[in-house]
Amino acid sequence: MPVARIRWGVGGGGGASESDGASGSRGGGGGGVAADPVGYLEITPSSATFRPIARPYASPAFVVSVAIAGAILVRAFARLRR
């Protein structure tokens, strides 16, 4: 039996402006849903066990850390070339 992590979100907004002789109003909204597999239940006649699924990709924190380190290195090399 599969097990998933479900996330959802909604948002909306609106506003009005009467600057520079123009008038009007704007508004909008949206929403989204995401489902990620996290594991499965292995059911046998004697027990039920949760089996996690390993992530096939790098964690977001790792990706951000590598990007920041890369930006620091590029900046350092650019300063050396001056």
Side-chain angles (χ1 to χ4, degrees):
M1 179 179 300
V3 177
R5 178 182 305 126
I6 309 293
R7 297 182 308 267
W8 63 275
V10 295
S17 173
E18 292 188 16
S19 63
D20 298 329
S23 65
S25 63
R26 298 182 182 186
V33 176
D36 300 312
V38 295
Y40 60 93
L41 291 176
E42 184 177 77
I43 301 172
T44 63
S46 61
S47 69
T49 307
F50 174 75
R51 303 286 183 181
I53 298 173
R55 287 184 174 188
Y57 52 87
S59 72
F62 175 76
V63 173
V64 170
S65 299
V66 169
I68 290 171
I72 290 170
L73 287 174
V74 167
R75 186 174 179 186
F77 283 126
R79 285 186 176 183
L80 289 175
R81 292 189 73 191
R82 288 184 191 178

